Amino acid sequence: MNNTANLTPHQDLWRNVTVANTTSFYRPAVDPVIGNVITVMFTIIIIITMVSLGCTMEVSKIKNYIMKPKGLAIAAMAQYGIMPLTAFCLVKGFQLSDITGVVVLVCGCCPGGIFSNSMALAIQGDMNLSIVMTSCSTVLALGMMPLLLYIYCQGFPSVQNAVPYGEIMLSLVLILVPCSIGIIIKTYRPQYSKKFTKVGMIIMLIILVGTLSLIAIGSGHIILTMMSPSLLAIAGLMPLMGYCFGYVFSSIFRLIHRERRTVSMETGCQNVPLCTTILKVAFPDEVVGPLYLFPTVYLVSQLLEAAMIIMLFRCYQRFKRKEKETYQAAATGEDLKESDV
């Protein structure tokens, strides 16, 4: 039985109400045709993403981290401890409505995304840990995501018994199918795995750009209306807090610097296509309305903030390199003077 009928819709942005305010009927925030196309495109994106993720998985490396699980355990605690708690605190702090809070929570409880692997590479992190962390967080999401939503939704009385956990779990099970296909390709046809990943990423980016363009055309005005200053602030703060807290958390447990940077990227980068797909598939349109577009705004924020952090890290590296070269040059000059004497 679907309990989403008990959910209270977000404001009245997608409802028509009579002057007497006695009747109302559902009016889609986005043209139904464009909405269906967006749903299909996001489904294609998540399939390509998960197959590509599977193509990066190596069972032997996963086994190694399971045998020495310190780094992986800390990373998993950061992923499923920091982000959901951050999302909950921001929702309560900005006093959002219950259904809006659930949307933010779904985003905060999602596993790490494939973009985090690219970010970890750019910031010179531990790529093995990054790939294993993304893989394991995706598998763990099957149990952790519904559990965390159940726990945190106790803070939203009107929705605590109405979140569609069954539909969410079904969506998570279905994403493991393309991921398994990727693992099979990696195991039995490893020569094709890198090619598929490269081609898949290009196709995914093209479709993503097309999807964002459709969203801008079909519902750009809705985004401007729906995205209150509070939601925009949350979309900006969540990934940044994830990056910072992920680094601090891994530093407390004394992981090496490469692993700290990896955990930071993996914590702040969420699987936005998965979040959008869940919101589109599990929740009725009349309930979630245009709020399914929130993860798209989050995606822009997490990429821009990650790029800023990577740029600052590269500048710091260059500064330290120059400082080291200056010190070595000065030390060499002193040695030459001593030898002349």
Side-chain angles (χ1 to χ4, degrees):
M1 181 178 178
N2 193 343
N3 293 324
T4 52
N6 299 325
L7 287 168
T8 303
H10 170 73
Q11 303 174 359
D12 290 316
L13 294 178
W14 50 94
R15 287 188 170 274
N16 285 336
V17 184
T18 62
V19 176
N21 200 29
T22 56
T23 61
S24 65
F25 61 92
Y26 172 63
R27 174 171 59 85
V30 182
D31 182 87
V33 175
I34 294 179
N36 290 334
V37 173
I38 290 172
T39 301
V40 171
M41 292 177 82
F42 265 115
T43 303
I44 294 172
I45 288 172
I46 195 65
I47 289 172
I48 294 174
T49 300
M50 298 315 297
V51 174
S52 300
L53 176 61
C55 286
T56 63
M57 293 185 187
E58 291 187 26
V59 177
S60 59
K61 290 180 180 178
I62 294 175
K63 285 181 179 178
N64 289 337
Y65 274 99
I66 290 175
M67 295 301 293
K68 298 178 181 178
K70 179 184 176 182
L72 183 59
I74 293 169
M77 284 191 289
Q79 179 74 57
Y80 287 114
I82 291 173
M83 292 308 290
L85 181 59
T86 299
F88 181 79
C89 291
L90 287 173
V91 167
K92 288 299 184 181
F94 284 95
Q95 299 180 339
L96 300 184
S97 65
D98 285 358
I99 182 59
T100 310
V102 170
V103 170
V104 175
L105 268 177
V106 169
C107 190
C109 293
C110 274
I114 198 167
F115 288 115
S116 61
N117 303 141
S118 302
M119 301 304 172
L121 178 64
I123 206 168
Q124 297 179 10
D126 186 331
M127 285 309 298
N128 288 335
L129 177 60
S130 176
I131 292 169
V132 172
M133 185 177 172
T134 303
S135 308
C136 291
S137 68
T138 302
V139 176
L140 287 172
L142 185 60
M144 291 301 298
M145 197 171 176
L147 175 63
L148 289 168
L149 283 173
Y150 175 78
I151 292 171
Y152 285 108
C153 280
Q154 302 304 308
F156 306 112
S158 68
V159 300
Q160 62 181 7
N161 296 320
V163 175
Y165 299 107
E167 287 83 351
I168 291 173
M169 288 190 70
L170 179 61
S171 301
L172 292 168
V173 169
L174 291 177
I175 68 164
L176 293 180
V177 175
C179 187
S180 301
I181 293 172
I183 294 173
I184 292 171
I185 294 173
K186 177 70 173 178
T187 304
Y188 295 102
R189 291 291 185 271
Q191 67 272 24
Y192 297 127
S193 60
K194 288 185 178 180
K195 292 180 182 178
F196 184 91
T197 302
K198 288 180 181 179
V199 174
M201 286 295 291
I202 293 171
I203 295 173
M204 185 189 70
L205 289 173
I206 293 172
I207 296 176
L208 183 60
V209 171
T211 306
L212 293 177
S213 301
L214 271 178
I215 290 173
I217 294 169
S219 54
H221 63 290
I222 296 293
I223 294 178
L224 293 176
T225 305
M226 181 268 295
M227 281 296 162
S228 63
S230 297
L231 271 179
L232 288 174
I234 289 175
L237 286 172
M238 262 180 70
L240 184 60
M241 292 172 74
Y243 295 137
C244 295
F245 288 149
Y247 190 89
V248 171
F249 187 75
S250 54
S251 299
I252 292 172
F253 288 93
R254 298 183 179 181
L255 295 183
I256 62 175
H257 289 288
R258 291 178 63 225
E259 292 177 339
R260 294 177 192 178
R261 295 194 295 270
T262 303
V263 173
S264 171
M265 289 295 107
E266 289 288 339
T267 304
C269 282
Q270 301 297 88
N271 193 330
V272 169
L274 173 61
C275 180
T276 306
T277 303
I278 288 175
L279 292 175
K280 287 286 288 179
V281 172
F283 292 84
D285 285 343
E286 62 268 23
V287 171
V288 76
L291 283 171
Y292 79 90
L293 299 172
F294 170 76
T296 304
V297 182
Y298 183 95
L299 173 64
V300 174
S301 296
Q302 78 175 13
L303 292 178
L304 289 176
E305 290 167 6
M308 179 187 68
I309 291 171
I310 291 167
M311 184 177 65
L312 290 173
F313 171 71
R314 292 302 179 100
C315 290
Y316 170 77
Q317 267 193 325
R318 184 172 295 181
F319 172 77
K320 292 296 289 184
R321 192 180 300 118
K322 286 184 178 180
E323 189 179 61
K324 186 177 179 180
E325 288 173 356
T326 303
Y327 173 78
Q328 288 177 340
T332 303
E334 290 178 2
D335 290 342
L336 288 174
K337 287 181 181 178
E338 289 178 2
S339 62
D340 290 340
V341 175

